Amino acid sequence: MLQSRNLSEAEFRGEIFKNCPIPLKGNNDVLSITQPEIIKGIHRAYLEAGADIIETNTFSSNRISQKDYNLENYVKELNIQSVKIAKEIAKEYSSNDKPRFVAGSIGPTNKTSSISPDVENPAFRDITFDELVEIYTEQVDVFVENDIDVFIVETIFDTLNAKAALYAIKKSLKKYGKDIPIMVSVTISDKSARTLSGQTLEAFYYSIKPFNPVSVGINCGFGIEEMIPHIEELAKIADCNISVYANAGLPDAFGKYNDTPENMAKGYAYLAKKGCINICGGCCGTSPEHIKAIADTVIKYNPGQIPEIKEKSIFTGLESFSLNENQKFAIVAERTNVTGSKKFARLIQEKRYDEALNIAREQIENGANIIDISFDMPLIDAKAEMTNFLNLIASEPDIARVPVMLDSSDFEVIKAGLKCVQGKAIVNSISLKEGEEKFVEHAKSIKEFGAAMIVMAFDEKGQASTTERRVEIAERAYKILTEKAGISPYDIIFDLNVFPLATGIKEHNINGISFIEAAKIIKEKYPQVMISGGISNISFSFRGLNKVREAIHSVFLYHAINAGLEMGIVNAGMLEIYDEIEPELRMLVEDVVLNRNENAGEKLLAYAQTINHETVSISKKDSLEWRKQSVEKRLQYALIKGNSEFLNQDLEEALRDFSPLEIIEKHLMDGMNEIGKLFGAGKMFLPQVVKSSRTMKQAVDYLKQYLQKGNSETKLGKIVLATVKGDVHDIGKNILSLILTCNNFEVIDLGVMVNCGDILKTAVKEKADIIALSGLITPSLEEMITVAEQLEKSGEKLSALMIGGVTTSKLHTALKIAPKYKGIVAHTEDASQAVVTAQKIISQDKEFLDNLKAEQKKLFEEYNKNS
């Protein structure tokens, strides 16, 4: 609107800034002082078009942005004038039937606190969290003093910048004793739906959710058509209002936005009809005509209903993490802790940060879900190192994708860490050790940063070591945190103190069973909280005896997880499969962990002495007895143990009697199915599954050389294959890709974490016959539904959708996916069935297709009848 007026430099300057040494043209915010009537006219035009909310002309009214024009000392006046103008015009148009509101616009600034501007120094930051808070506070205080109706923190490209703004708002509201709602709006940098600083849309939402926004949404970046799938995703996870104000399309070569009011209105109508939005409007290129068309269209529909979403504990890095039915225990990496790893401590002292980062990376590759970071050690500046290391991690997406646990006994170090992470972190830890007042102070401070907290079973009397004391402290802490500090139960994680077993001290005999009993009681009483512990502590008496230590960890975890333990700090490489522990050793360890007899510790120690202080772990040095089994059993054993030492040798032997496909589909998959059973029963943990997966991949890669590829000139059909967005699992998908290729299909494998738009775009471009969707985790099911919906909406007619993966089923496909797409939707259980199904679909086998439709209809009708 301002650009269309072609204002001159002199008009931007006005009388007050006529001697400014820097050109002001383009500094739109200054016009609130120099050309107030123009700003008033623009507000009026939008209100006349039907707008309910107008934003103040303050997007860049902060010291960072105004420094470019040498006007940083006019920031307060810019904000005062802009608020005054907007409120005056809003009042002019307000009525009882249609009140008008003023939103205080807070832009992202032109600096980022999560990314280094210096490619040579990834730890460097051009702006700090504290500096951003100070800068935002100057603007926010004006808004609060002048009673704006709502804050709008918008066009967010870096969540840490946004958190600084939200932190400043909350502080200001507390200072002035007021309550003003906050709107939050992010901009996504590409169709992968990530921010410029790398966060997924889901991770972004859960990172700002603790600040209780009245709405969350998306603005700028794209036109409404490109935003639709992302708004639909947001509407499924957010338990607040949803906003969207898109650009009028994407700018052309001349910087103009060409999407018409009518076309934009269609996109908003689609979202409104689906009940996905509550607040809508326009960003770049949208004129009053656009706003009028949108307003006239959406008025026909009811606002979206805020969904009732089951609350749970969620933590975020660049991606979000929470427990689910597929994973009931979170592993926290312990090797990026200077007291837990001598190597890590040495690397930090020697400033060898690249190698220190590799330790973090290896822990995540081995299955850690969260990374514990601590620098509490003499001769190390913990505060400086925490800041530096977290800044380094931010430039490593494969590390930064997981949430961080900030571990320190110095609360100033904790605060320094919280000022560096854009995600929702976990603080380790606070306790009642210094009394209730300090406990509440620390808890409130953590809440202000939007983080979760570990609460130690430790009070003024000392650490809890009995069941009764653990429960007593947890009950007291819960009451204080929820009633006096306003902490959500889902942000409370109780560490009930894991102490060493078999120490020779009689009082320590209950250390294992007491933890387990307390976990069960607390989890039953407070199901919303999580239970955690430092698992490696329990085996401390057997340092150097990894065989015994691994057995203790696995036995303790097996029983503690069943009692309610959901998170543990443990070396992902020091876990053994519960069922694979030698029976004698397992019995001895269970006697100790469960305190089944007074001499249990002595018996385990006696057993330990018979292994001659052997330091090689059982997971690394297997008995060769298994080599005497059949080749089929050996292959399955190798997968379960993640042992590839004899893998190629055994595969060569198997090839004498079986085809490569038989080996993959029968013998190797039998092994993977057994792994699934062990994992589901809690007898195998995620790091071991990861290790097994790598062995499976090695086996398939080795067999590729023996698989005959189909005749490239006579392809049966073209298939676009992908693991859907939000899911990184690809073993089944990779096997299917290989087998389809061997059966004369052309396969376009898009990999993992593939968003709906890319799947459909590729299918159309490649003129695919079938889209095949794979997924392991439960959220994958929802994403598959989205693909079906968007495929139907696109009007593209493919031969079929094929659905597969561990959590999928014929029933789910019939109930949830098939109704969304009018074409053929087929569920397949395994690779062989997928090949046959694809052949039948592409050849348009009428009997097969009729049976498929009939089966789905029957499932649909029976389910609805029975439910």
Side-chain angles (χ1 to χ4, degrees):
M1 290 289 280
L2 288 168
Q3 286 170 357
S4 68
R5 281 164 170 75
N6 294 314
L7 299 176
S8 66
E9 175 66 26
E11 287 172 305
F12 267 92
R13 287 171 176 270
E15 190 63 28
I16 190 170
F17 298 121
K18 66 181 181 181
N19 296 321
C20 183
I22 297 173
L24 296 184
K25 189 171 182 178
N27 183 2
N28 295 331
D29 294 28
V30 81
L31 296 171
S32 293
I33 294 175
T34 62
Q35 302 291 340
E37 292 307 315
I38 291 177
I39 302 302
K40 288 180 183 180
I42 291 172
H43 284 323
R44 286 191 181 102
Y46 282 112
L47 289 167
E48 285 174 3
D52 299 293
I53 304 171
I54 52 171
E55 291 191 23
T56 54
N57 184 35
T58 54
F59 185 81
S60 299
S61 295
N62 58 73
R63 282 186 174 268
I64 298 173
S65 301
Q66 290 304 315
K67 188 176 182 181
D68 293 342
Y69 300 98
N70 206 27
L71 295 183
E72 59 265 43
N73 292 329
Y74 287 87
V75 164
K76 186 171 183 179
E77 187 176 347
L78 285 170
N79 282 287
I80 289 172
Q81 282 299 110
S82 292
V83 173
K84 181 181 176 183
I85 290 169
K87 289 194 70 176
E88 176 190 330
I89 305 306
K91 185 177 180 182
E92 190 179 303
Y93 279 81
S94 281
S95 66
N96 290 333
D97 294 335
K98 191 174 177 66
R100 309 299 178 101
F101 304 98
V102 173
S105 171
I106 301 172
T109 81
N110 54 16
K111 295 185 184 293
T112 167
S113 51
S114 290
I115 304 171
S116 172
D118 183 354
V119 294
E120 300 296 326
N121 183 5
F124 174 71
R125 292 294 181 271
D126 209 10
I127 189 92
T128 67
F129 184 89
D130 286 336
E131 289 168 341
L132 278 168
V133 170
E134 183 181 354
I135 286 158
Y136 280 129
T137 297
E138 185 176 18
Q139 183 178 37
V140 165
D141 280 355
V142 172
F143 292 166
V144 177
E145 288 169 357
N146 289 275
D147 293 315
I148 57 156
D149 297 305
V150 61
F151 294 99
I152 183 160
V153 183
E154 61 179 337
T155 322
I156 296 163
F157 61 82
D158 180 344
T159 313
L160 189 54
N161 282 33
K163 286 170 73 175
L166 294 166
Y167 184 92
I169 290 170
K170 291 292 186 180
K171 286 286 190 182
S172 184
L173 290 172
K174 184 178 180 181
K175 179 170 64 177
Y176 288 95
K178 294 184 179 180
D179 184 16
I180 300 173
I182 306 167
M183 293 172 62
V184 174
S185 186
V186 67
T187 187
I188 48 182
S189 59
D190 55 42
K191 293 183 181 179
S192 67
R194 286 184 183 259
T195 63
L196 185 66
S197 57
Q199 272 199 316
T200 64
L201 194 56
E202 182 180 47
F204 167 78
Y205 170 67
Y206 287 116
S207 298
I208 59 93
K209 184 178 184 287
F211 297 93
N212 297 315
V214 69
S215 70
V216 64
I218 307 174
N219 76 288
C220 208
F222 297 109
I224 188 64
E225 280 298 318
E226 291 83 7
M227 283 190 182
I228 285 173
H230 309 309
I231 290 294
E232 288 177 318
E233 176 189 353
L234 197 55
K236 290 174 183 175
I237 61 173
D239 57 359
C240 63
N241 296 291
I242 301 295
S243 71
V244 55
Y245 49 114
N247 293 342
L250 295 172
D252 60 21
F254 303 100
K256 292 185 177 181
Y257 295 84
N258 299 312
D259 204 356
T260 65
E262 295 74 24
N263 195 56
M264 279 195 79
K266 286 179 184 176
Y268 284 95
Y270 172 81
L271 289 170
K273 187 177 181 181
K274 288 197 71 175
C276 292
I277 52 175
N278 306 89
I279 304 169
C280 54
C283 200
C284 303
T286 52
S287 65
E289 289 75 21
H290 288 88
I291 295 301
K292 185 176 189 315
I294 294 167
D296 290 347
T297 300
V298 299
I299 197 69
K300 304 168 189 173
Y301 304 100
N302 291 322
Q305 295 297 305
I306 297 174
E308 290 186 16
I309 295 169
K310 187 179 179 182
E311 194 86 11
K312 60 180 176 179
S313 300
I314 298 178
F315 319 106
T316 65
L318 295 183
E319 299 168 10
S320 62
F321 172 76
S322 62
L323 296 179
N324 54 51
E325 62 267 35
N326 297 314
Q327 184 176 350
K328 298 177 181 178
F329 179 73
I331 288 181
V332 182
E334 68 174 1
R335 310 307 289 174
T336 44
N337 182 324
V338 291
T339 58
S341 168
K342 291 180 181 178
K343 181 180 179 181
F344 183 71
R346 176 172 51 80
L347 292 173
I348 293 299
Q349 288 171 319
E350 295 173 2
K351 310 296 182 186
R352 291 158 63 184
Y353 295 115
D354 283 347
E355 293 173 67
L357 287 169
N358 281 337
I359 290 178
R361 187 176 289 106
E362 287 165 6
Q363 293 274 284
I364 294 165
E365 287 172 352
N366 285 332
N369 310 112
I370 299 165
I371 184 163
D372 181 85
I373 301 171
S374 177
F375 298 98
D376 282 6
M377 192 178 194
L379 305 180
I380 287 181
D381 184 343
K383 189 174 178 180
E385 292 295 357
M386 180 68 83
T387 300
N388 184 67
F389 197 70
L390 289 170
N391 285 347
L392 288 170
I393 282 176
S395 66
E396 303 287 339
D398 50 345
I399 303 173
R401 68 180 180 82
V402 304
V404 295
M405 182 179 284
L406 306 170
D407 191 345
S408 180
S409 57
D410 183 343
F411 200 70
E412 289 305 309
V413 175
I414 293 291
K415 285 170 70 176
L418 288 169
K419 293 171 183 178
C420 295
V421 291
Q422 60 174 325
K424 182 178 179 180
I426 303 168
V427 168
N428 186 10
S429 58
I430 60 171
S431 74
L432 284 158
K433 178 174 63 172
E434 298 178 70
E436 187 174 314
E437 185 179 348
K438 185 66 72 173
F439 181 61
V440 171
E441 178 190 325
H442 286 168
K444 286 184 174 180
S445 180
I446 294 166
K447 183 188 177 186
E448 287 172 350
F449 287 98
M453 60 203 75
I454 288 181
V455 181
M456 299 295 298
F458 200 148
D459 64 5
E460 300 89 339
K461 299 176 187 175
Q463 284 183 292
S465 57
T466 65
T467 304
E468 293 73 23
R469 281 278 291 146
R470 286 179 167 98
V471 173
E472 173 196 335
I473 294 173
E475 288 177 338
R476 180 186 169 203
Y478 182 89
K479 186 177 178 65
I480 293 169
L481 290 172
T482 56
E483 295 179 8
K484 295 185 178 181
I487 306 300
S488 164
Y490 297 97
D491 288 337
I492 300 172
I493 305 163
F494 283 118
D495 185 326
L496 301 180
N497 302 332
V498 177
F499 293 130
L501 290 167
T503 62
I505 300 170
K506 185 178 180 181
E507 289 76 13
H508 293 177
N509 290 351
I510 64 169
N511 283 351
I513 189 63
S514 172
F515 182 101
I516 292 167
E517 289 172 347
K520 191 172 191 300
I521 293 168
I522 293 165
K523 193 64 182 172
E524 286 177 354
K525 187 166 186 178
Y526 308 116
Q528 304 100 322
V529 306
M530 293 184 74
I531 308 292
S532 179
I535 307 305
S536 300
N537 294 344
I538 199 145
S539 65
F540 193 70
S541 301
F542 296 90
R543 296 187 310 279
L545 294 170
N546 285 357
K547 178 174 181 175
V548 177
R549 293 198 74 177
E550 289 181 14
I552 293 173
H553 295 166
S554 294
V555 168
F556 177 72
L557 282 173
Y558 176 68
H559 291 285
I561 289 170
N562 285 329
L565 178 70
E566 293 168 303
M567 178 184 291
I569 301 175
V570 63
N571 182 352
M574 287 196 70
L575 292 171
E576 175 57 304
I577 300 167
Y578 180 84
D579 280 355
E580 294 294 322
I581 302 169
E582 292 174 12
E584 181 186 3
L585 175 57
R586 188 171 67 219
M587 182 187 73
L588 291 169
V589 169
E590 290 204 309
D591 284 347
V592 171
V593 169
L594 303 176
N595 192 29
R596 291 199 290 217
N597 63 69
E598 288 186 4
N599 302 319
E602 293 175 17
K603 291 179 180 178
L604 181 58
L605 183 61
Y607 173 90
Q609 290 170 341
T610 67
I611 58 175
N612 300 318
H613 294 269
E614 185 180 338
T615 58
V616 180
S617 66
I618 35 182
S619 60
K620 292 182 179 176
K621 185 177 180 182
D622 296 317
S623 162
L624 293 181
E625 284 296 310
W626 66 281
R627 301 296 303 153
K628 298 175 182 177
Q629 300 181 69
S630 68
V631 68
E632 301 99 295
K633 294 292 185 184
R634 296 202 301 271
L635 286 171
Q636 291 171 25
Y637 180 90
L639 283 185
I640 292 169
K641 299 293 284 185
N643 183 339
S644 59
E645 184 179 356
F646 303 98
L647 186 62
N648 292 356
Q649 176 184 325
D650 287 343
L651 288 170
E652 285 291 345
E653 183 180 335
L655 284 165
R656 296 173 200 158
D657 299 315
F658 308 103
S659 72
L661 285 179
E662 284 177 315
I663 295 171
I664 292 171
E665 293 190 278
K666 178 69 174 74
H667 308 306
L668 294 179
M669 288 310 297
D670 281 353
M672 293 306 289
N673 289 334
E674 181 62 25
I675 289 164
K677 291 175 185 176
L678 291 168
F679 181 62
K683 297 178 179 180
M684 193 172 185
F685 305 103
L686 189 61
Q688 296 156 328
V689 176
V690 171
K691 194 175 179 184
S692 295
S693 300
R694 288 178 183 151
T695 307
M696 178 69 171
K697 185 178 185 303
Q698 283 178 261
V700 173
D701 287 345
Y702 185 82
L703 291 170
K704 278 182 182 179
Q705 62 186 306
Y706 296 102
L707 286 163
Q708 290 186 348
K709 300 295 171 80
N711 182 348
S712 60
E713 296 178 2
T714 56
K715 296 297 182 188
L716 293 178
K718 189 180 287 188
I719 297 175
V720 169
L721 175 64
T723 299
V724 295
K725 181 181 174 181
D727 199 327
V728 298
H729 302 91
D730 64 356
I731 293 176
K733 175 189 70 65
N734 292 346
I735 292 170
L736 177 58
S737 178
L738 183 66
I739 293 172
L740 284 169
T741 302
C742 293
N743 280 275
N744 247 10
F745 288 94
E746 181 180 348
V747 179
I748 299 159
D749 189 341
L750 298 179
V752 300
M753 292 281 288
V754 188
N755 67 58
C756 173
D758 287 344
I759 293 170
L760 298 184
K761 183 179 176 182
T762 304
V764 172
K765 180 183 175 184
E766 297 290 340
K767 298 180 180 177
D769 297 294
I770 293 173
I771 293 175
L773 304 177
S774 177
L776 174 73
I777 59 177
T778 303
S780 301
L781 302 176
E782 288 299 316
E783 187 62 23
M784 290 174 179
I785 294 169
T786 299
V787 175
E789 286 178 334
Q790 293 302 314
L791 178 58
E792 180 63 31
K793 185 187 171 198
S794 74
E796 298 294 336
K797 298 302 178 186
L798 308 181
S799 292
L801 271 177
M802 283 207 312
I803 305 297
V806 173
T807 54
T808 64
S809 66
K810 283 186 177 181
L811 180 61
H812 181 273
T813 301
L815 292 175
K816 299 290 186 179
I817 302 177
K820 302 296 183 183
Y821 178 56
K822 292 177 182 175
I824 299 162
V825 181
H827 177 266
T828 60
E829 298 285 349
D830 53 45
S832 296
Q833 190 184 30
V835 170
V836 173
T837 301
Q839 290 170 339
K840 299 282 189 183
I841 288 170
I842 290 173
S843 66
Q844 291 293 298
D845 186 312
K846 188 175 184 305
E847 183 182 356
F848 174 84
L849 297 178
D850 287 346
N851 287 339
L852 178 66
K853 287 285 187 182
E855 182 185 33
Q856 289 178 350
K857 184 180 179 183
K858 183 180 178 183
L859 285 169
F860 190 88
E861 290 174 349
E862 285 182 355
Y863 181 86
N864 285 306
K865 181 182 177 182
N866 292 334
S867 64

